[in-house]
């Protein structure tokens, strides 16, 4: 491969990773002059890549949508990630993309180098999906795309939002990030009308509309978007601290009761304490009862009553007529 051809491929790869680059930025990344960047941009246009140049003292370049989809350049890690992502998308929580994901997957697998196909197949062969319907509400793929693009480009958006009581409001926001939390997606954004940070469930967002107005990045009041969403959810659902004495070692417990290492306090080789936070005592009672070990409740007292209620419910379901329903 000639030096010019290699540089063109590197330039194209850069244009595909960010919405806009200045001439000096591209020259610095490529190790050439701004004049050489301009010549290379013209070569890409001759190859029918729609590269737009903006005017100004510095100038900028961006790869725009054309009438046809140009070839994409992927490194090894990106190709593996996309392949695995497409396989997951066929069973994911985004509505209506299963068939499209399957078609794209077939096309990508046809051109994967053998060294990458082996890596993907190794992961896939060792992974089993439970299948079944997606848990929780599903997200409209167009909403996902619009919000992701707005967050990437720093563009203000308008949308309608339904809260948990189904009341609808109009929102004007500056998107920061999208956070996937298992079965749900969240948008982290600065709410312009309320002058504060907010999280929005994507399945409750309707008709997102990019305004074309750019906005400067704001500093999120958290380590990252995931930490912000976690804190917001905890605030919305008051948490209770629950402590159990478990008659098993911390190592035995690690893979059974999914808690963070800091929530487990070893006592000896046969027992440990679980100190965890929960927004539902009933769900915590079901989880701890699932353990195939003996345990005791240390706090709160309400946890003991909840275990009695859950146990009585299970006995009644098993046909024990001597167990009365709680008042």
């Amino acid at each position: 491969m000639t030096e010019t051809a290699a540089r063109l491929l590197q330039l194209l790869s850069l244009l595909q990773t960010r919405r806009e680059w200045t001439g000096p930025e591209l020259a610095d990344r490529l190790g050439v002059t701004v004049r050489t960047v301009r010549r290379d941009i013209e070569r890409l246009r001759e190859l029918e890549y729609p590269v737009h140049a903006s005017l100004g003292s510095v100038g900028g370049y961006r790869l725009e949508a054309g009438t046809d989809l140009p070839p994409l350049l992927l490194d090894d890690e990106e190709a593996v990630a996309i392949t695995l992502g497409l396989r997951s998308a066929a069973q994911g929580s985004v509505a209506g993309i299963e068939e499209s994901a399957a078609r794209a997957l077939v096309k990508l697998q046809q051109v994967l180098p053998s060294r990458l196909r082996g890596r993907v197949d190794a992961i896939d062969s060792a992974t089993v999906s439970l299948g079944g319907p997606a848990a929780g509400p599903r997200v409209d793929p167009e909403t996902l795309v619009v919000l992701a693009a707005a967050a990437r480009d720093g563009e203000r958006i308008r949308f309608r939002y339904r809260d948990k009581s189904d009341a609808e409001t109009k929102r004007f926001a500056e998107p920061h990030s999208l956070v996937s939390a298992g079965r749900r997606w969240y948008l982290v954004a600065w709410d312009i009308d309320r002058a504060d940070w907010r999280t929005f469930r994507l399945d409750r967002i309707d008709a997102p509309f990019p305004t074309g107005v750019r906005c400067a990045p704001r500093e999120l009041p958290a380590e990252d978007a995931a930490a912000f969403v976690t804190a917001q959810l905890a605030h919305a659902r008051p948490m209770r601290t629950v402590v159990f004495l478990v008659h098993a070692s911390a190592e035995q417990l690690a893979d059974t009761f999914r808690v963070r290492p800091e929530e487990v306090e070893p006592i000896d080789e046969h027992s440990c304490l679980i100190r965890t936070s929960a927004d539902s005592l009933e769900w915590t009672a079901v989880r701890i009862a699932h353990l195939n070990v003996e345990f005791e409740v240390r706090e709160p007292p309400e946890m003991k009553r909840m275990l009695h209620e859950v146990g009585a419910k299970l006995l009644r379901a098993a046909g024990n007529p001597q167990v009365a329903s709680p008042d």
Side-chain angles (χ1 to χ4, degrees):
M1 183 181 295
T2 66
E3 180 181 346
T4 300
R7 192 175 63 248
L8 284 178
L9 289 174
Q10 186 179 359
L11 173 59
L12 181 58
S13 180
L14 289 172
L15 291 172
Q16 291 175 346
T17 59
R18 207 167 83 184
R19 179 172 178 82
E20 188 163 297
W21 293 84
T22 66
E25 286 175 331
L26 289 173
D28 181 64
R29 295 293 291 269
L30 296 171
V32 297
T33 65
V34 173
R35 184 178 180 182
T36 299
V37 169
R38 286 198 294 266
R39 288 201 301 265
D40 287 347
I41 291 294
E42 287 303 319
R43 292 187 178 101
L44 288 179
R45 288 171 176 162
E46 291 172 1
L47 295 172
E48 299 185 356
Y49 286 93
V51 183
H52 175 78
S54 58
L55 302 177
S57 58
V58 177
Y61 300 99
R62 67 174 179 268
L63 189 62
E64 295 188 332
T67 55
D68 298 305
L69 181 66
L72 298 177
L73 296 178
L74 303 173
D75 62 27
D76 286 4
E77 298 302 324
E78 290 170 340
V80 171
I82 290 176
T83 304
L84 294 174
L86 287 171
R87 292 187 179 186
S88 176
Q91 305 176 47
S93 60
V94 181
I97 67 169
E98 299 89 346
E99 183 179 347
S100 299
R103 291 200 309 269
L105 179 60
V106 170
K107 293 178 181 178
L108 185 57
Q109 287 181 322
Q110 287 176 342
V111 297
L112 272 182
S114 58
R115 67 179 186 279
L116 299 184
R117 192 177 299 113
R119 291 171 60 184
V120 172
D121 290 343
I123 297 174
D124 191 53
S125 64
T127 305
V128 178
S129 173
L130 290 178
R138 306 186 76 190
V139 175
D140 175 53
E142 184 61 26
T143 295
L144 191 66
V145 170
V146 170
L147 295 176
R152 178 198 64 192
D153 300 335
E155 183 176 359
R156 291 178 173 178
I157 57 169
R158 296 185 182 276
F159 56 89
R160 297 195 300 270
Y161 189 71
R162 293 175 292 101
D163 62 19
K164 61 183 179 181
S165 63
D166 215 31
E168 186 176 282
T169 55
K170 294 181 179 179
R171 300 300 182 103
F172 185 31
E174 297 175 0
H176 179 280
S177 302
L178 294 177
V179 176
S180 173
R183 61 197 178 113
R184 290 199 175 101
W185 285 80
Y186 294 90
L187 169 69
V188 176
W190 175 262
D191 191 312
I192 297 173
D193 295 330
R194 292 156 181 79
D196 198 6
W197 289 97
R198 291 287 192 273
T199 59
F200 303 94
R201 272 178 45 178
L202 261 64
D203 58 291
R204 294 176 177 172
I205 291 178
D206 188 35
F209 176 74
T211 64
V213 178
R214 296 288 188 268
C215 51
R218 295 180 184 270
E219 185 177 354
L220 192 66
E223 179 182 354
D224 53 32
F228 182 79
V229 170
T230 299
Q232 292 294 300
L233 294 178
H235 179 73
R237 301 192 297 257
M239 308 294 281
R240 303 285 300 277
T241 298
V242 182
V243 182
F244 297 104
L245 170 63
V246 179
H247 296 286
S249 68
E251 290 75 15
Q252 288 176 292
L253 190 65
D255 294 332
T256 310
F257 198 79
R258 295 182 180 177
V259 292
R260 297 186 297 274
E262 60 269 23
E263 294 178 306
V264 180
E265 178 184 338
I267 296 177
D268 54 40
E269 61 181 4
H270 301 296
S271 61
C272 61
L273 287 177
I274 295 178
R275 189 181 306 272
T276 188
S277 297
D279 63 342
S280 169
L281 292 183
E282 183 174 18
W283 172 236
T284 304
V286 173
R287 289 181 66 202
I288 194 70
H290 181 68
L291 289 177
N292 190 27
V293 294
E294 297 296 319
F295 62 90
E296 303 169 24
V297 176
R298 288 297 177 89
E299 60 179 83
E302 295 87 346
M303 190 72 247
K304 292 185 178 181
R305 173 174 172 79
M306 181 56 66
L307 285 168
H308 279 294
E309 292 179 0
V310 171
K313 183 187 299 184
L314 295 175
L315 287 172
R316 288 193 302 274
N320 190 330
Q322 298 179 351
V323 180
S325 301
D327 295 335

